[in-house]
Amino acid sequence: MIKSNSDICINCGHKLSEKDDFMNLMGLTLDIPESQKESVFHDLEDILHYFASDVTSAFKKDPAAKNLVEVLTSYPGIQAVLLHRIAHFFFRLGLPFVPRYISNIARQITGIDIHPGAKIGKNLFIDHGTGVVIGETAEIGDNVILYQGVTLGGIHLENEKRHPTLRNNIIVGAGAKLLGPIILGDNVKVGANSVVTKDIPPNSIVVGVPGRIIKNGSNIPHQIETLSHDILPDPVLNLIKSLESRIKDLESQISIKK
């Protein structure tokens, strides 16, 4: 930049002080306080550390994954998570424009909308991914699988924690909606198209609208543990069958008395 004696930019004719104010207004400065530099370097190390686990998670959780080039170029879930790591880094720096721009580019490329403020642990795998939405205050632990159409959304507009927290080793089936500042404990499985609005304890399986716990405890059968939807019980159907059985018993008792 060329300066004149009157501090006017020869390139554009504006006062240099005005240009500096504009840059600050846009949040495009990188003046990192000394107290935060260690945290910034730690965040950069996390991006590099998570890169390997993010990519290899595809091979562990999708039998269709064949090679590294295929995963990096053809898996929108992997691409979305990798771009989110970068967007979240800039979000932590306090830049108001760059993080959202990166997340918007990621959404256009992958069809997956992750707010840069969301906190994501290692080994997150988003399978297929189209339509997945993860809100600003959402928190995701380690070893989590999200299928297409999953929403981690809010239920109010207050500037506070308003999105779900997912602990570790969780599977969320296609189209499931997790709404509000709820907490899903470790080893929770959520069936496809379920709507969950309440806290779920660890080692639970949830299905239905609204989501109902159909299994709780550490002895979850392997088939259900892998979220095989063909064997998941239907709590509503089970309730109806129970009522039908009770009605038949009552009808039988009335018939005998007659």
Side-chain angles (χ1 to χ4, degrees), residues 173-184:
K177 313 302 177 187
L178 282 56
L179 305 176
I182 59 176
I183 298 176
L184 274 65

Side-chain angles (χ1 to χ4, degrees), residues 74-106:
S74 305
Y75 275 60
I78 299 298
Q79 295 169 344
V81 173
L82 292 177
L83 288 171
H84 169 75
R85 303 285 188 200
I86 300 172
H88 183 68
F89 171 73
F90 287 119
F91 182 86
R92 292 258 297 165
L93 288 180
L95 301 183
F97 168 72
V98 176
R100 292 304 300 268
Y101 182 73
I102 294 174
S103 66
N104 185 52
I105 293 297

Side-chain angles (χ1 to χ4, degrees), residues 119-183:
K119 299 177 182 178
I120 295 178
K122 63 183 179 181
N123 294 329
L124 170 64
F125 181 59
I126 304 177
D127 199 1
H128 296 287
T130 301
V132 168
V133 177
I134 301 176
E136 177 184 11
T137 62
E139 299 179 41
I140 300 177
D142 298 337
N143 194 35
V144 173
I145 301 177
L146 305 180
Y147 288 90
Q148 66 271 18
V150 168
T151 297
L152 306 185
I155 54 175
H156 59 73
L157 302 178
E158 302 297 328
N159 188 22
E160 58 186 27
K161 173 68 173 172
R162 60 187 186 280
H163 298 102
T165 295
L166 280 60
R167 302 300 190 196
N168 305 316
N169 307 315
I170 291 176
I171 300 177
V172 184
K177 313 302 177 187
L178 282 56
L179 305 176
I182 59 176
I183 298 176

Side-chain angles (χ1 to χ4, degrees), residues 198-228:
K198 297 181 180 179
D199 292 348
I200 304 299
N203 304 306
S204 299
I205 296 176
V206 183
V207 300
V209 181
R212 295 179 174 85
I213 297 174
I214 60 172
K215 182 76 176 181
N216 181 241
S218 58
N219 297 320
I220 299 177
H222 174 70
Q223 294 89 343
I224 297 181
E225 186 177 16
T226 56
L227 206 65
S228 300

